[in-house]
Amino acid sequence: MEAFQLLSRGGAKFDKKRFYNDVKLFNKDVKGKSVPKINESELPAELDFFKYAQGGPGKRKAAEENKGGAKKVKLDTSEDEEESDSDRDEDSHPRQKHRVTTKGADVPQHIDSFEALRERYQIPQRLLANLQLNDYKHPTGIQSYGIPILMKSRDLAAISPTGTGKTLSYLLPVMAALESPISSSKSDAGVGVRAIVLAPTRELAHQIHNECLKLAAGRKWRIVLFSKATASTLSDRNVRDKVDIIISTPLRLVASVQEGNLNLNNVRHLILDEADRMLDPEFLSQVQEIVAACTHPTLQKAVFSATLPAGAEKIAMGMLRDPIRVVVGLKDTPLPLISQTLTYVADDGSKLPSLLTYFSQPYNPPVLVFTSTQPRATSLAEELLLNGIPNVDCLHAGMTKKEREDAVSRMRKGESWVMISTEVMARGMDFKGIREVINYDFPTSVQSYVHRIGRTGRAGREGKAVTYFTDEDGPYLKSIANVLLQSGSTVPDWIVKLPKPSKMKKKQMGKIQRAETVNAARKIGRNDAIKKRDMIAGSKRRKMKVNKPPKDDEHDSKTSE
DNA sequence: AAAAAAC
């Protein structure tokens, strides 16, 4: 405990000019093409992952994912045509090949390059220049389809995998539209907030704000990251009326609207990031209140996410007006660039030894570890510290705003090697360096799983995801296993053969399945030394000693040859 | 389907 607080305090030295540094670093991170390379050359092995990114695992998925083919849906394969010149693109984001499907009336032609935007929509030169400055060279799938749709003032539901550039897909059109207001009089454009981006966590809102600032560099826009502090300054009408874009979490915004401190009737663009999360019951009423407060007749709405379950999609589509739906790749599926492993740990008590074993072997920092609750995150961080794991950090919503900001800052700077966190970090956060994600506690939904492991493997990089499961997790094991299969990772046979849990009897099934899980896992445990390298054997049979390296090679295994 | 996050 003491030690942990000490460490946390150690990070506080960055407080001065914290924000400034954060932005600066973030810029550098994306802009400097040298950064990824430097990072890579520092770390041994598996470093030429860019070459994999160009063609390897991506194809596996592309092959698997047709079938589903769409009815009355326009099919297109993005980015295939430009393969010829992609060879010398190592310094830009590697291109991924994803099928793009669109649904809706009069879908605008997609763009093949950002330059096309200027010709077609007279996007300001400044904006394009800022793109270049930040090393955006070619649009990703969602960018090439989503941007024209939003430029045409259409409503949009966009589904695209983690780390494929959704943020830019909505920021660029919004900022282009603000620059050249469609309204008749200029004075009209100036009164009140014109665009709102909603995100589920403070950290994500902060990150979007940074991204927005980079695109706006050199312009006079006022882009506000909404917080208690900014909310109070906005009660001043003179300040409030000059704000162009607000990035916020829902409740903060609702509070200001209810206090009468904020009028949203001039909002022309409303974006829901992590849309399915925002449409969860707890957020939904807040979001609906904001939507209701946006009374401008030409309000454009768009929702973005990597996952969109049927229920959430229905709600979203109900909110949108004559929407176009764009799906890149497969919905609710992780990137094939992320190699995923399911690891059996018999029970909760076996998790810590397993994790310590993991860290006693070579690993690729920074590693992001997910737990199910805040106390578990805190205590796991303490345990790792006590066991001498270096540079352990912790981040959950129970911490103070400042503690959270410091933790993110350390992460951005590469000072955190092991970040223990809760669901708060599961969505949207873009730490490009993250090489490995460990689900210490089993995710409570497919969506959670997809988003959590999507913290790695971003922008075409490779990533690794390890998920611990216990006997208790049996009932949900199969659905996660299916996700692995769908995205090209391998799953032990016995898991594939688990019976499907039925809705009605999930409780009883839970028991049955738990028993099957235990049995099957035990069986595997016996001959794992020979074959099952994906499983951690023997949490049942042998209790591992802290920091003692295991004899077998479970951990450096790859999912395929 | 279930915990965390939002103020």
Side-chain angles (χ1 to χ4, degrees), chain A residues 4-19 21 393 400 402-403 405-407 409-410 413 415:
Chain A
F4 179 57
Q5 281 166 350
L6 257 164
L7 182 115
S8 301
R9 228 172 287 131
K13 63 186 165 198
F14 303 104
D15 275 352
K16 42 173 193 175
K17 56 184 178 167
R18 171 198 344 119
F19 181 75
N21 275 345
D393 254 301
T400 67
K402 182 178 155 341
E403 286 170 335
E405 283 171 355
D406 290 346
S409 175
R410 287 194 295 272
K413 288 173 176 155
E415 292 167 3

Side-chain angles (χ1 to χ4, degrees), chain A residues 130-147:
Chain A
N130 284 345
L131 279 187
Q132 283 197 336
L133 281 173
N134 291 290
D135 216 33
Y136 290 106
K137 295 215 168 107
H138 304 284
T140 64
I142 187 56
Q143 288 159 3
S144 76
Y145 281 76
I147 293 174

Side-chain angles (χ1 to χ4, degrees), chain A residues 12-126:
Chain A
K13 63 186 165 198
F14 303 104
D15 275 352
K16 42 173 193 175
K17 56 184 178 167
R18 171 198 344 119
F19 181 75
Y20 175 73
N21 275 345
D22 218 23
V23 175
K24 216 170 120 195
L25 229 120
F26 192 81
N27 279 331
K28 195 171 134 212
D29 215 41
V30 182
K31 169 166 36 179
K33 51 188 177 186
S34 56
V35 170
K37 280 179 185 162
I38 288 169
N39 279 345
E40 273 126 46
S41 58
E42 274 170 4
L43 296 150
E46 64 203 352
L47 285 190
D48 39 351
F49 52 50
F50 280 112
K51 105 181 152 201
Y52 295 110
Q54 294 288 345
K59 292 210 162 129
R60 193 170 30 168
K61 168 163 179 185
E64 273 171 30
E65 78 181 27
N66 25 24
K67 282 287 183 299
K71 3 111 205 227
K72 69 182 169 189
V73 167
K74 175 177 147 209
L75 287 178
D76 215 328
T77 312
S78 77
E79 301 167 63
D80 270 350
E81 313 88 43
E82 290 138 287
E83 235 202 308
S84 46
D85 59 18
S86 67
D87 289 359
R88 38 193 195 82
D89 272 1
E90 324 119 57
D91 56 343
S92 73
H93 296 164
R95 321 295 304 284
Q96 292 147 27
K97 293 184 174 124
H98 282 121
R99 180 173 296 269
V100 180
T101 66
T102 62
K103 188 161 77 177
D106 306 322
V107 179
Q109 178 69 30
H110 69 274
I111 48 159
D112 291 322
S113 69
F114 288 123
E115 287 71 33
L117 288 172
R118 191 182 26 169
E119 297 146 29
R120 218 193 286 172
Y121 305 106
Q122 290 78 50
I123 279 196
Q125 186 60 46
R126 162 79 65 175

